[in-house]
Amino acid sequence: MKRILYLIRQAAYTVYSFCFFLCLAIELTVRGFLMITLCGATDENKLKYHRLLQRRARFVVNHIPGTTFTYDNTVGETFEKPAVIVSNHQSHLDLMAIIMLTPKLIILTKGWVWHNPFYGIVIRYADYFPISDTENMATVVEEKVGKGYSVVIFPEGTRSPDCHIQRFHRGAFYLAEKIGLDIIPVFIKGFGQVLPKTSWHLHPGRMSLEVMPRIRRDVDGQTIGYREMTRKLHGLYVKKNDEEVCSHR
């Protein structure tokens, strides 16, 4: 009987969350139309829209039924200086946690996300960019960086089905080298248990996001190449993930 009640409760949470998400997508689409299409796609209006996204993302992450969320920024990162923000990738919910960091974010997404029928318009209003468009990507990113925006990339390229760290692709680190940006590693935990890659069913759990120390490309006068940076960051995430697993045994 307890199992049946648990399944009913979680099914209700899932339906509620999906309806809320759908209403949120509609609201952000309408607000984008009013703020950007009608009032003009100025830098000021774009930033106002990004601040709206940040507020909505913060609300969503902190109000997922049956879950708790912890934000750890003990390193005191302000995100004022543009950087490439990288994160491990566990769930569809990861994006909300990243968006709440700062309004000045440009997220490089997969093509299907950019064209998604539910929130694709929101993605385009926010000037997030499909990573498949490699020809124009560097130009767009440099333009946004010049306006104080940081760039978000998930170097694994896809969600991890079991929350283990997958192979890192080099694109994020090559872009950081090409444009001359620092790297800010962000570590997420618990999102893959709350909404796994293989499920549309919400589960109770604890989620957290930790901002780790900024990594500068120039260390003691020596520049770290993007290949070495890829290996360094992958090792950092594997070690961090293993420590978190061991701490819960």
Side-chain angles (χ1 to χ4, degrees), residues 121-158:
I121 297 177
V122 176
I123 296 294
R124 294 193 286 278
Y125 272 134
D127 285 338
Y128 297 166
F129 199 75
I131 204 166
S132 55
D133 189 358
T134 54
E135 184 176 344
N136 298 311
M137 183 170 59
T139 302
V140 171
V141 169
E142 284 187 275
E143 178 187 348
K144 291 298 180 181
V145 167
K147 296 176 181 178
Y149 283 76
S150 291
V151 186
V152 177
I153 305 178
F154 295 99
E156 292 170 284
T158 186

Side-chain angles (χ1 to χ4, degrees), residues 53-71:
L53 290 176
Q54 183 189 28
R55 291 194 298 271
R56 294 296 183 266
R58 184 183 294 119
F59 179 87
V60 169
V61 171
N62 284 285
H63 292 84
I64 298 172
T67 70
T68 60
F69 174 72
T70 304
Y71 176 56

Side-chain angles (χ1 to χ4, degrees), residues 108-125:
L108 301 187
T109 71
K110 287 189 172 181
W112 70 265
V113 175
W114 209 71
H115 294 288
N116 186 279
F118 292 107
Y119 51 82
I121 297 177
V122 176
I123 296 294
R124 294 193 286 278
Y125 272 134

